[in-house]
Amino acid sequence: MPLRRPLRALPALTLVLALTAAPARADADLPFRDPTLPLAQRIDDLLGRLTLDEKISLLHQYQPPIERLGIKSFKTGTEALHGVAWSTDVTDNGAVVTANGTVFPQAVGLASTWDPELIKRVGTAVGEEARGFHAQNPVVWGLNLWAPVVNLLRDPRWGRNEEGYSEDPLLTGAIAIAYGSGIQGDDPDHLRAAPTLKHYLANNNEIRRDTTSSNLPPRVKHEYYEAPFRAAITAGAATGVMTAYNLVNGRPATVNPDLNDTVRTWTDRDLLNVTDAGAPNNLVGSQAYFATLAEADAAALKAGIDSFTTDETNSAPTITAIKTALSQGLLTEQDIDTAVRHILGIRFRLGEFDPDGGPYAKITPDVIDSPAHRRLARETAAKAMVLLKNERGTLPLDPGMKVAVVGPLADVLYTDWYSGRPTYQVTPLDGIRERAASVTSSEGVDRVAFKDLATGRYITAGSGPEGADLRLSATTIGETEQFDVFDWGQGIVTLRSVANGKYVSRANWSTLVNNADQPSGWFVQEQFKLEEQDDGSYLIRYAGYETAYDWFGPNTYVKAAPDGTLTLTTAGDATRFAKEVVRSGIDDAVAKAKEADVAVVVVGSMPFINGREDHDRTDMNLAEGQEALVKAVFNANPRTVVVLENSYPTTINWIDEHVPAILWTTHAGAETGNALADVLYGDVNPAGRLTQTWYRSADDLPDILDYDIVQRDRTYLYFKGTPLYPFGHGLSYTTFRYQGLRVAEKGDAYEVSVRVTNTGHRAGDEVVQVYTHQRTSRVKQPVKQLRAFQRITLAPGQSKTVTFTIRKADLALWDVTRNKWTVETSAHDVMVGASSADIRQRATIHVKGERIPDRDLSVPTRAIDFDGYSGVELVDETKARGDAVAGSTGDWIVFKDVDLKRRPSRVTAGVASTSGGSIELRLGSPKGKLIATVPVAATGDVYRYETAAARVTGASGVKDLYLVFQGDVRIKDLSLTSG
């Protein structure tokens, strides 16, 4: 969700007074305060005491106190993706407050452990710290946590890749269950904190994220995108979902009827569903889906939204819209009661209305960043690291070696948009210094000065801790004239002032100042491009993220004003600079590497620059300058270890081909350096595993907006190429042997067991992975699919028999012919190994299920339940519910194996069109035998469906039936009948 911006003073002040007012003392004997009563009875009692106005006031993110009942304020939305991150302070106009607590590895790193037991411990720590912060300031730190993100990482270019877990639904679900269960605690009736899953549904692109539609055929939707949400909620490991910004099949996710129709069927518990920030306003703004906010909010409430995250801390627009909707008959008080009941269900479980606050109310701020949590952060960061390559015994390192630690991330730790603020930092250099006999270091970045060619004066920065406006001043190069240039790829650099160690920023929206601790903020204003001109001079271009919104138009180039202050102008009016290299970063790093026994090159990403919320990556390459550094260091010292610290798969083909050892880690929090040293020196034997396919090129990927993983062969499930590193990949300092795979049918399940032996000389962890492949099917099946996994620890020579259970129901597919889960009769390959590509043992099981019958189109059949398509869009049948198919001339859908043995003579279809057209019915192919042409008259509106009919001739046998569109037409259903 985006940063909340400050409000106008009056609405904020009004809400501050309301939220901070001391609640009046309520009668402690009221039934809703009696924890011995059933929860439903307590909710009914409190709900019955609330006035309509009070109930409506609870529908906004910021719920005011109800003083006459002694009810305190409540807010949804403390960010806690990998530790408590940030929240908003209503007493300060909704200002963001960052948590000073334990920062664990980024979410994709948590999943890289493949260790649910460990991640439950992490979730427990996060839940405890949420309680600790709440004890400090309950107005700022709410207990409704917005985490985890369970959107599947089907495209590694997604800007928010760091926030998710995996491209695989089973692994994502398992880690989400672990993290959410830890946050909640194990009390059956109370919550330590309330985790909310983000973002329902199919949210995996940032480009035009509020206006693009994720097209989901039913099978893709049910088998893939819904799966991790279903897993976490069915397991009772989440207390609601946050809706996404995008549309799903043409309908904004904010009004997705699945919230009630599907999500709430997965549990008997109350769920508190929230919108993403500002999403209700998108319904009448960028999405133009409704004419008024009253219609929009009413539709969201009816779809299953309970809490509106919008208009910052100002609830007035939501309250007005809901009241208007009531007066217009768009809502009833019962609709309000339903949502409030869901809200209260979570508040009760948090212990708010118990006299003693419930079992978790005794948690104090002492838990925040405790020694135990710091130890857990170090353990998790080490277990998350993935050894991608290790040849010639390069790792682990000998403590007696002289080590050169070089690279732009060697001596720094970065936070991300959903990080808290670490109270201390152990950088890679710090961690290695604790182990190595001798260490030298270099960031490997150029140190430069910029001289105005016209005046001979240099750009000069401020020397104090707060920096100063950059200006042309000195005529010689001193410390205040020097800047370190960090290359983040695609021409983007950041400039760190040598004078005070701060980054150059446009943080005051005017001049350039050296005052930023790191690039950060919603608009990352520390980004620049150094554009070399034909004459060898340079233009300095400001490339902050707000330029993507065209706020400055062409005025993005640096110009020196008459007084020397730097401002922005056009390229033609910009100042031309000479870029004078004071020190070559590569030369410095190479010199250090030559003197060392081993070079450790730490490269990677800056989380606020290389893809993040609202900004997808457009390539997957390591920054050009960083790759050049690796090449130079390797040529200087072949005993080179590359530590890649970023949040997503990266195309590092040259590095993989040449460098002997590569270790990958996410941005892993305060303990990154200690954890890295633990792995490099063998105190921890690496066993992290990749949770995504690492492709060799972006050419292996379709358009980022294409969500059909089945048709487009996406993720390891369907990808047929050879990746750089496969899903599940990760090496160890020891070796493991797999023996004696056995698969036994046990009732409605299969028991899979395999014996794993540590055949090396070091203790280590192995992640045993079980995959299956269905050999025959009515539909396209995955190449292989993860069914179970377990991380085990074995001493040298030790063996363990690992046993898994795969239910027959787990092998079901979504049958579009009958809209249900179905297990087909088929042989299945069972594959056990160390990754999706490293299969060590195989077996075959013969599953007795059913044969999906031939299509029966004699009954009305939804058009979206097709078997294949080309060119069409999946759209909303109505604004409330239902899916339809929209096509233009030449587009088609196909229904396979249609039973035409009764020789149907008539086709009827529900169609809509603003301009008219037709739908051709053809057999065998889009250009096959024409058996009918359904005329579609203009209905005047895409939501106004009429029944169209045509005569069918020449239909017989069992055939594939193609519906080929002519003109712009929508179809919601069809049927073929005789007589």
Side-chain angles (χ1 to χ4, degrees):
M1 59 169 290
L3 177 66
R4 298 172 178 84
R5 297 176 180 81
L7 302 174
R8 293 186 299 272
L10 184 57
L13 178 60
T14 302
L15 189 55
V16 167
L17 294 175
L19 288 177
T20 58
R25 183 174 180 82
D27 189 341
D29 294 330
L30 292 177
F32 76 85
R33 294 193 177 276
D34 184 353
T36 67
L37 295 177
L39 176 60
Q41 184 176 337
R42 297 176 71 191
I43 294 173
D44 285 342
D45 179 72
L46 178 52
L47 187 64
R49 296 177 187 277
L50 298 176
T51 67
L52 179 58
D53 282 350
E54 289 169 340
K55 288 185 285 190
I56 293 173
S57 75
L58 301 180
L59 300 180
H60 190 263
Q61 177 187 14
Y62 293 89
Q63 302 172 27
I66 301 173
E67 296 180 30
R68 66 184 185 84
L69 295 174
I71 296 174
K72 299 177 182 179
S73 62
F74 183 87
K75 59 174 289 233
T76 63
T78 295
E79 300 291 354
L81 196 57
H82 51 109
V84 179
W86 53 265
S87 189
T88 51
D89 185 358
V90 68
T91 66
D92 189 17
N93 288 338
V96 170
V97 181
T98 304
N100 294 296
T102 309
V103 179
F104 292 93
Q106 292 174 307
V108 70
L110 297 179
S112 299
T113 66
W114 289 61
D115 192 342
E117 292 181 3
L118 172 66
I119 302 310
K120 184 174 181 180
R121 290 164 54 203
V122 172
T124 298
V126 174
E128 289 174 347
E129 295 204 7
R131 278 283 177 173
F133 282 111
H134 184 71
Q136 278 184 347
N137 189 335
V139 174
V140 171
W141 302 106
L143 293 174
N144 175 253
L145 307 188
W146 287 350
V149 170
V150 297
N151 295 118
L152 293 165
L153 305 181
R154 51 105 214 182
D155 195 307
R157 296 166 297 188
W158 186 35
R160 304 180 76 168
N161 196 87
E162 65 196 26
E163 299 180 35
Y165 290 142
S166 172
E167 67 185 30
D168 179 74
L170 183 139
L171 177 59
T172 297
I175 300 299
I177 290 169
Y179 193 69
S181 297
I183 286 173
Q184 290 184 170
D186 295 324
D187 189 282
D189 301 315
H190 291 86
L191 299 166
R192 183 186 288 119
T196 302
L197 304 178
K198 299 195 295 187
H199 310 82
Y200 193 85
L201 180 70
N203 176 229
N204 194 225
N205 64 273
E206 297 304 292
I207 181 173
R208 303 190 305 278
R209 61 180 182 165
D210 57 331
T211 57
T212 57
S213 180
S214 304
N215 286 346
L216 307 184
R219 184 177 168 224
V220 176
K221 175 186 174 185
H222 292 300
E223 293 182 19
Y224 190 68
Y225 291 104
E226 281 182 356
F229 290 91
R230 182 172 62 245
I233 290 176
T234 300
T239 60
V241 302
M242 172 188 283
T243 53
Y245 283 123
N246 55 281
L247 294 78
V248 177
N249 293 353
R251 181 182 295 106
T254 310
V255 290
N256 189 338
D258 285 357
L259 296 171
N260 279 333
D261 298 350
T262 302
V263 175
R264 284 200 160 96
T265 67
W266 296 333
T267 179
D268 293 330
R269 292 276 201 178
D270 280 318
L271 297 177
L272 168 52
N273 295 332
V274 305
T275 74
D276 209 335
N281 290 347
N282 290 344
L283 292 169
V284 296
S286 59
Q287 295 165 344
Y289 202 68
F290 295 101
T292 68
L293 192 59
E295 295 174 84
D297 285 3
L301 207 66
K302 282 182 170 291
I305 288 295
D306 306 305
S307 178
F308 292 84
T309 312
T310 187
D311 299 302
E312 314 297 348
T313 55
N314 182 12
S315 62
T318 298
I319 291 172
T320 299
I322 295 295
K323 288 184 175 180
T324 301
L326 283 167
S327 69
Q328 294 176 349
L330 302 173
L331 289 173
T332 67
E333 187 169 354
Q334 184 177 354
D335 295 322
I336 308 298
D337 287 351
T338 297
V340 173
R341 182 180 298 277
H342 298 148
I343 294 167
L344 294 179
I346 302 305
R347 292 181 66 171
F348 269 102
R349 291 178 65 197
L350 286 166
E352 178 181 345
F353 305 119
D354 290 5
D356 63 354
Y360 299 112
K362 298 180 179 62
I363 296 175
T364 69
D366 293 341
V367 301
I368 299 172
D369 201 31
S370 66
H373 290 176
R374 291 184 177 188
R375 289 192 296 271
L376 179 60
R378 180 172 180 168
E379 177 187 356
T380 306
K383 286 186 173 180
M385 292 184 183
V386 181
L387 184 61
L388 296 176
K389 181 182 178 183
N390 189 27
E391 294 183 346
R392 302 193 294 276
T394 303
L395 292 176
L397 300 178
D398 184 334
M401 288 180 168
K402 182 177 182 180
V403 184
V405 184
V406 302
L409 280 80
D411 195 25
V412 66
L413 296 182
Y414 289 122
T415 57
D416 60 57
W417 181 244
Y418 287 102
S419 286
R421 183 183 295 112
T423 58
Y424 66 100
Q425 294 189 3
V426 183
T427 69
L429 178 59
D430 295 331
I432 293 171
R433 271 184 177 146
E434 289 293 315
R435 304 299 180 86
S438 174
V439 173
T440 57
S441 67
S442 168
E443 289 179 304
V445 300
D446 287 345
R447 180 163 289 179
V448 305
F450 298 99
K451 181 171 70 174
D452 176 11
L453 291 176
T455 66
R457 292 184 296 168
Y458 289 91
I459 295 178
T460 301
S463 58
E466 301 304 318
D469 287 348
L470 270 60
R471 62 179 64 244
L472 294 183
S473 178
T475 56
T476 58
I477 301 174
E479 199 171 63
T480 54
E481 285 70 49
Q482 298 179 45
F483 301 89
D484 294 326
V485 182
F486 290 81
D487 177 13
W488 302 114
Q490 296 184 291
I492 296 292
V493 301
T494 52
L495 304 173
R496 188 182 63 196
S497 172
V498 174
N500 64 356
K502 298 293 183 72
Y503 288 88
V504 176
S505 175
R506 194 178 164 81
N508 59 3
W509 298 88
S510 178
T511 54
L512 304 182
V513 184
N514 60 319
N515 66 352
D517 292 328
Q518 72 162 55
S520 63
W522 184 252
F523 298 113
V524 184
Q525 302 194 73
E526 293 76 32
Q527 300 177 90
F528 297 89
K529 289 187 176 184
L530 306 179
E531 298 183 352
E532 187 173 9
Q533 305 302 295
D534 291 340
D535 62 357
S537 66
Y538 283 83
L539 302 185
I540 301 176
R541 184 176 183 181
Y542 168 67
Y545 271 155
E546 71 268 24
T547 59
Y549 296 83
D550 200 29
W551 288 1
F552 292 92
N555 296 316
T556 57
Y557 289 85
V558 171
K559 175 186 178 179
D563 66 354
T565 303
L566 303 184
T567 59
L568 296 184
T569 185
T570 62
D573 193 36
T575 299
R576 290 180 175 247
F577 295 95
K579 186 182 75 170
E580 299 182 4
V581 177
V582 178
R583 184 186 66 201
S584 165
I586 285 182
D587 289 351
D588 185 48
V590 164
K592 300 292 197 310
K594 285 181 176 179
E595 297 172 354
D597 298 318
V598 63
V600 177
V601 189
V602 190
V603 293
S605 71
M606 201 288 130
F608 280 86
I609 293 175
N610 298 116
R612 48 150 280 189
E613 183 170 358
D614 209 30
H615 293 275
D616 293 315
R617 292 190 297 154
T618 55
D619 72 16
M620 298 191 299
N621 302 321
L622 184 65
E624 298 88 342
Q626 293 187 32
E627 182 162 313
L629 172 67
V630 173
K631 290 179 178 179
V633 169
F634 172 74
N635 288 332
N637 187 338
R639 193 177 180 91
T640 291
V641 178
V642 167
V643 175
L644 179 59
E645 185 178 342
N646 64 14
S647 318
Y648 37 71
T650 308
T651 49
I652 52 170
N653 299 337
W654 187 94
I655 294 174
D656 176 71
E657 182 179 352
H658 294 89
V659 175
I662 308 169
L663 185 69
W664 177 73
T665 174
T666 60
H667 297 278
E671 288 286 346
T672 297
N674 282 330
L676 177 62
D678 289 341
V679 172
L680 290 177
Y681 285 91
D683 294 337
V684 172
N685 194 339
R689 299 292 184 263
L690 296 180
T691 68
Q692 293 176 266
T693 302
W694 283 43
Y695 299 96
R696 292 184 178 275
S697 168
D699 294 338
D700 290 331
L701 295 168
D703 191 286
I704 194 172
L705 298 178
D706 192 324
Y707 275 75
D708 190 341
I709 68 161
V710 179
Q711 177 152 301
R712 303 302 179 201
D713 293 335
R714 302 196 78 148
T715 78
Y716 85 97
L717 290 162
Y718 295 95
F719 183 61
K720 296 181 175 66
T722 302
L724 179 62
Y725 304 116
F727 173 81
H729 172 72
L731 304 178
S732 171
Y733 296 152
T734 189
T735 55
F736 298 92
R737 182 176 65 236
Y738 289 65
Q739 293 175 299
L741 174 63
R742 296 179 182 273
V743 182
E745 188 170 359
K746 298 288 183 72
D748 291 331
Y750 294 92
E751 184 178 276
V752 179
S753 62
V754 67
R755 187 172 179 81
V756 182
T757 303
N758 183 344
T759 55
H761 302 290
R762 289 176 176 268
D765 288 4
E766 175 73 330
V767 179
V768 184
Q769 303 166 40
V770 181
Y771 297 86
T772 67
H773 169 70
Q774 184 173 331
R775 293 183 184 175
T776 59
S777 175
R778 183 183 181 277
V779 299
K780 182 178 179 179
Q781 284 289 332
V783 175
K784 58 176 65 76
Q785 183 166 358
L786 183 69
R787 298 298 186 182
F789 64 90
Q790 187 175 337
R791 181 166 175 156
I792 60 173
T793 302
L794 295 174
Q798 182 183 5
S799 297
K800 180 177 182 179
T801 297
V802 188
T803 301
F804 306 91
T805 298
I806 302 175
R807 301 179 306 148
K808 286 185 180 179
D810 296 335
L811 304 176
L813 59 84
W814 183 258
D815 176 16
V816 295
T817 73
R818 295 170 295 177
N819 285 298
K820 69 171 189 176
W821 292 100
T822 300
V823 176
E824 293 180 296
T825 296
S826 178
H828 289 247
D829 297 314
V830 178
M831 298 162 280
V832 180
S835 81
S836 61
D838 186 5
I839 301 301
R840 309 289 185 85
Q841 296 273 287
R842 294 175 180 267
T844 301
I845 56 176
H846 296 277
V847 177
K848 295 179 181 179
E850 64 175 319
R851 175 189 176 276
I852 297 174
D854 296 334
R855 278 273 196 178
D856 180 8
L857 297 186
S858 66
V859 295
T861 300
R862 298 190 313 161
I864 197 173
D865 289 328
F866 52 67
D867 291 298
Y869 64 98
S870 175
V872 300
E873 292 291 324
L874 307 185
V875 295
D876 49 340
E877 179 183 341
T878 72
K879 291 187 175 182
R881 57 178 23 86
D883 297 313
V885 179
S888 300
T889 299
D891 296 343
W892 53 262
I893 59 176
V894 60
F895 298 89
K896 293 187 175 181
D897 302 322
V898 178
D899 184 354
L900 302 173
K901 292 190 292 290
R902 297 181 183 178
R903 297 180 180 273
S905 59
R906 180 178 174 82
V907 56
T908 58
V911 295
S913 176
T914 58
S915 56
S918 64
I919 299 175
E920 298 175 347
L921 275 62
R922 294 181 177 271
L923 300 181
S925 78
K927 296 183 179 180
K929 180 181 178 181
L930 179 67
I931 62 171
T933 299
V934 180
V936 179
T939 61
D941 190 286
V942 293
Y943 296 116
R944 183 176 298 131
Y945 284 84
E946 296 180 357
T947 300
R951 180 173 175 78
V952 176
T953 59
S956 64
V958 177
K959 303 282 176 45
D960 293 345
L961 179 65
Y962 286 78
L963 275 61
V964 183
F965 292 81
Q966 303 297 332
D968 294 327
V969 176
R970 290 188 176 197
I971 178 171
K972 66 182 182 69
D973 54 29
L974 77 157
S975 60
L976 298 175
T977 56
S978 302

